[in-house]
Amino acid sequence: MRDLSRLLHPRSIAVIGGGAWCENVIREGRKMGFDGPVWPVHPRRDEVGGLPAFARIEDLPEAPDAVFIGINREATVAAVRVLSARGAGGAICFASGFAEARAELADGADLQAALSAAAGDMPVLGPNCYGFLNALDRVALWPDQHGMVPVERGVAILSQSSNVALNLTMQRRGLPIGFLGTVGNQAQVDLSALGMALLEDDRITALGLYIEGIKDVRGFEALAARARNLGKRIVALKLGASEQAGAAAVSHTASLTGNDAGARAFLRRIGVAQVTSLSALLEVLKILHVAGPLRSNRVVSASCSGGEASLMADTGLGYDVEFPPLGAAQREGLRAALGAKVALANPLDYHTYIWGDVAAMRACFGAMIEGADLGLGVVVLDFPRGDRCSVADWDLVIEALAGLGSSVPMAILSSLVETLPEAVAERLVALGIVPLCDVPSALEAVAAAAFLGRDVAAWPVLLESGEGALPPSPAAPPPGYFRPEEAHGGVLSEGAAKQALARAGVRVPGLEQVATPAAAGQAAARIGFPVVVKGEGFAHKSEAGAVRLNLMSVAEVEEAAGGMGASGYLVEEMVAGAVVELLVGVVRDPAHGFVLTLGAGGVWTEILGDTQSLLLPVTEGDVRGALGRLRIAPLLAGYRGAAGADMAAIAGAVLAVQALVAGHAERIEEVEINPLLCMPDRAVAADALIRLRDTDIEGGEDAA
């Protein structure tokens, strides 16, 4: 890793260029309070931003620690080369027109490569980025206005988008931002490398990321692990789309995995919490800064309005947040504090009987958390406009909470952003009370902070090279597993795919592959009726009329096969009695490893869209957890007295697929079983697809 210390904590700064952006860098640094030397560089001007300018980089009194380069893209490369040779601590490349513009500029990618080569060991942020704001050390290498102020400790926020980062500096939610940085094209220093450098600063309490694409999987794994080791946590807003094997329209898995499911599964795997909005990102960071990760998603809520209590309860249905029933100790304490007229529930409407009574409110809030296993206690409170109304009574609620001395983290939540003034939010942070606002964003943040309180798997993801520690699972298949004659355009026939899965440990129906309708009838007699006949050579057999079920005689089999017009036939035993049909699929994601998709299978795959995505490798516990998050989970468990599915058999089938992929990670593009017929005593792959990366597959004898 490059040493970023001089760049991020500079004692001297150079600004190259003379446009408005460069003058803004000088102005914003002055406003932030940077007290070290600032050296403008311009070949034709005597001064820039009120400071005397140097004609050349070589004329600077010494090698600067940090440099903002605000000149055109070709000149930027030349300047970086000189700065690197001079021994500068690092540079920010503001210019655009590099790899991000490769569709418009034929030389964009080449010029970015030249920039990286020119930098050598000198760290570079960008190109196509604004730079950073270090409010801890009063440094502003930033070419625009911003809303940050110096702080003693706070969170760090890193973004691939400079404009999004700029917008985040304008927040008025009381969140102390200690460092905000952008990385642009990540030509050299990416989000994980910059985040790693910041985590080591004791003044940084948590890390927030705005991600459009993950450049370095192993780097992000290391970042997440280091954060955990330091007792810090990471939350991300992931946008954009990774380019993965979406061209394979022959399977459901490729389409269901989606453009960026691999990235999302990857972040979840390494313990990075994810949110869906900038608002929720800020709310999670407030929780992490004040209280740290939450020990559970169990929340108790109190408000002096039934409407607010209902709003909390209803909104919570959309997030992984639980409002557990009140226990005996809670009810006893609340009854003593509130009297007989208040209906006790969670969320609680404590009415206005105790409004303005600090002692009574403190007793009420204390009783809410008495003897309960909770992650967070919340008091819903919307402040009136201070320019038109008195806030004196509302301040008493803060006084009541401040003296509580609770072991459970406490928060004040305003239902609207506008009803939590910035000064109040800052006061709450100073008191150790989490200031939350906007009910949906706040509850999403609570769920994310609770996720961050859980343990995460220790294994790295499985990449195409096979790199990645695998937990105990069926043995990986040996070499010589696939035969060239079994693949057509890289896709194995269904029969060959099932035989490969069977050798890996997946249970499949008894089957035979034959060439003619007459041979199909003979095979059916050997297998035993009823049977299924499938015509081979079709991407989607059902739509082509190439599947016939529950055939009871040789004549039926021959007639069915004869009407398909297929190049060959697969005859299988008819498997009945499934509790649930599942989709089990694995797709190669070039950016993040292999993505496992579990979901409702058969005809329900497209109708329900009920899936969960994980990155390989997985354990049986991971598989069971993902299945438990499906909407069809009650059917797997046994719904209304019906028999449940054999969960051990399902997990065994998934782990066998994992072993197959791990054994041939360099060769497999995707594997899909749809459906996996899940019965009370077994799980059988009724249909299967295996697509290889190319047709030049491994020869050799049958490994069975």
Side-chain angles (χ1 to χ4, degrees):
M1 291 184 61
R2 291 175 173 83
D3 183 3
L4 303 182
S5 58
R6 289 176 63 197
L7 173 62
L8 302 183
H9 312 283
R11 293 174 297 176
S12 61
I13 292 172
V15 180
I16 301 177
W21 301 110
C22 293
E23 293 188 349
N24 288 344
V25 171
I26 296 171
R27 179 198 67 210
E28 295 304 322
R30 190 177 295 123
K31 284 172 56 180
M32 186 67 85
F34 180 72
D35 58 4
V38 178
W39 301 315
V41 177
H42 194 282
R44 295 178 302 277
R45 292 176 55 176
D46 294 331
E47 62 87 22
V48 175
L51 296 175
F54 295 84
R56 303 181 308 154
I57 297 171
E58 294 89 341
D59 297 333
L60 295 176
E62 62 184 65
D65 289 328
V67 184
F68 183 90
I69 305 175
I71 51 183
N72 69 59
R73 63 192 191 118
E74 291 86 0
T76 292
V77 175
V80 164
R81 185 176 295 109
V82 175
L83 287 166
S84 178
R86 184 81 195 275
I92 292 158
C93 296
F94 178 65
S96 59
F98 291 85
E100 86 286 351
R102 70 184 69 195
E104 297 79 20
L105 297 172
D107 66 343
D110 291 339
L111 197 63
Q112 183 158 308
L115 177 71
S116 295
D121 293 332
M122 183 185 75
V124 168
L125 294 183
N128 188 34
C129 84
Y130 264 27
F132 67 83
L133 296 160
N134 180 348
L136 300 169
D137 297 321
R138 298 175 177 261
V139 177
L141 282 162
W142 192 258
D144 205 342
Q145 301 180 89
H146 63 86
M148 287 175 55
V149 295
V151 297
E152 296 299 319
R153 61 190 294 271
V155 304
I157 299 177
L158 305 181
S159 173
Q160 286 178 253
S161 167
S162 295
N163 205 58
V164 167
L166 172 63
N167 295 339
L168 289 172
T169 72
M170 304 300 178
Q171 60 88 25
R172 300 182 181 183
R173 301 175 183 230
L175 174 66
I177 303 176
F179 187 100
L180 181 137
T182 64
V183 292
N185 293 6
Q186 305 184 91
Q188 189 200 66
V189 176
D190 67 354
L191 283 175
S192 59
L194 183 54
M196 187 74 82
L198 294 171
L199 285 176
E200 301 300 326
D201 192 325
D202 292 338
R203 300 169 296 176
I204 297 294
T205 56
L207 181 59
L209 303 176
Y210 175 89
I211 304 173
E212 294 173 359
I214 295 172
K215 180 182 177 183
D216 180 7
V217 168
R218 292 295 182 239
F220 260 83
E221 284 181 330
L223 175 68
R226 184 58 179 159
R228 290 262 173 175
N229 290 340
L230 292 170
K232 302 178 183 182
R233 296 295 187 270
I234 304 173
V235 58
L237 173 57
K238 169 66 181 71
L239 297 179
S242 61
E243 296 179 3
Q244 57 190 76
V250 294
S251 76
H252 290 99
T253 307
S255 59
L256 284 172
T257 299
N259 288 330
D260 64 342
R264 295 181 185 279
F266 168 67
L267 292 173
R268 180 180 179 88
R269 169 60 175 275
I270 63 175
V272 174
Q274 297 172 72
V275 292
T276 60
S277 69
L278 293 173
S279 181
L281 177 68
L282 294 172
E283 296 305 298
V284 183
L285 289 172
K286 282 191 284 186
I287 296 174
L288 295 176
H289 177 76
V290 176
L294 302 181
R295 62 190 178 204
S296 80
N297 66 342
R298 293 164 58 86
V299 177
V300 64
S301 170
S303 62
C304 60
S305 161
E308 291 169 341
S310 297
L311 182 62
M312 290 288 285
D314 287 357
T315 306
L317 295 175
Y319 302 100
D320 186 17
V321 173
E322 181 182 351
F323 293 100
L326 298 173
Q330 291 167 293
R331 299 179 69 88
E332 181 180 351
L334 287 170
R335 184 62 68 207
L338 301 175
K341 296 181 180 181
V342 175
L344 302 182
N346 182 28
L348 172 69
D349 169 16
Y350 64 85
H351 295 258
T352 55
Y353 301 120
I354 60 173
W355 184 254
D357 185 336
V358 172
M361 286 190 289
R362 185 171 296 156
C364 172
F365 302 151
M368 286 166 45
I369 57 176
E370 179 66 30
D373 177 19
L374 298 168
L376 186 69
V378 176
V379 175
V380 181
L381 187 68
D382 288 80
F383 286 79
R385 292 181 56 138
D387 58 339
R388 300 178 183 176
C389 309
S390 170
V391 298
D393 286 348
W394 281 257
D395 286 340
L396 296 178
V397 179
I398 298 177
E399 183 181 342
L401 270 181
L404 197 57
S406 168
S407 61
V408 176
M410 299 299 294
I412 283 181
L413 167 58
S414 65
S415 58
L416 300 173
V417 176
E418 294 84 353
T419 53
L420 183 62
E422 184 174 20
V424 173
E426 292 172 344
R427 177 185 171 197
L428 292 174
V429 169
L431 290 170
I433 300 169
V434 184
L436 298 175
C437 53
D438 178 42
V439 175
S441 296
L443 292 184
E444 182 179 1
V446 170
F451 168 80
L452 290 171
R454 303 170 190 164
D455 292 331
V456 296
W459 304 291
V461 301
L462 178 65
L463 300 178
E464 64 183 56
S465 63
E467 177 190 0
L470 281 166
S473 66
Y481 201 77
F482 301 116
R483 293 170 293 189
E485 66 272 15
E486 294 178 330
H488 304 281
V491 179
L492 296 184
S493 68
E494 182 182 343
K498 284 182 174 175
Q499 290 169 5
L501 287 166
R503 294 194 293 266
V506 178
R507 188 165 184 169
V508 302
L511 59 89
E512 290 189 29
Q513 290 177 278
V514 297
T516 67
Q522 296 168 5
R526 289 190 293 271
I527 291 172
F529 298 100
V531 297
V532 177
V533 175
K534 301 176 180 179
E536 297 199 298
F538 302 96
H540 299 287
K541 298 182 181 67
S542 298
E543 289 86 338
V547 178
R548 292 287 300 276
L549 307 176
N550 206 33
L551 301 178
M552 300 298 296
S553 68
V554 171
E556 281 188 295
V557 170
E558 292 179 349
E559 179 184 2
M564 291 178 183
S567 58
Y569 306 93
L570 186 63
V571 183
E572 298 181 347
E573 68 171 309
M574 180 78 183
V575 179
V579 173
V580 175
E581 295 184 357
L582 286 179
L583 164 77
V584 178
V586 175
V587 171
R588 172 193 302 279
D589 179 338
H592 312 107
F594 287 92
V595 183
L596 167 66
T597 299
L598 302 174
V603 298
W604 298 109
T605 297
E606 293 169 335
I607 295 173
L608 294 181
D610 182 18
T611 62
Q612 291 286 319
S613 293
L614 304 170
L615 281 193
L616 298 187
V618 295
T619 65
E620 180 174 347
D622 296 330
V623 174
R624 288 177 179 263
L627 294 173
R629 293 191 293 272
L630 294 173
R631 295 197 299 275
I632 61 168
L635 297 177
L636 288 166
Y639 188 63
R640 292 191 173 182
D646 186 339
M647 298 300 290
I650 296 171
V654 175
L655 294 180
V657 170
Q658 171 172 268
L660 175 65
V661 173
H664 301 279
E666 77 290 347
R667 201 165 298 279
I668 286 178
E669 196 68 42
E670 69 175 299
V671 177
E672 178 179 282
I673 300 172
N674 189 22
L676 180 71
L677 300 177
C678 305
M679 287 157 277
D681 59 348
R682 55 190 170 137
V684 180
D687 199 353
L689 174 145
I690 295 177
R691 185 162 63 91
L692 306 177
R693 298 192 73 176
D694 51 51
T695 56
D696 183 23
I697 56 178
E698 200 166 15
E701 296 300 318
D702 188 341

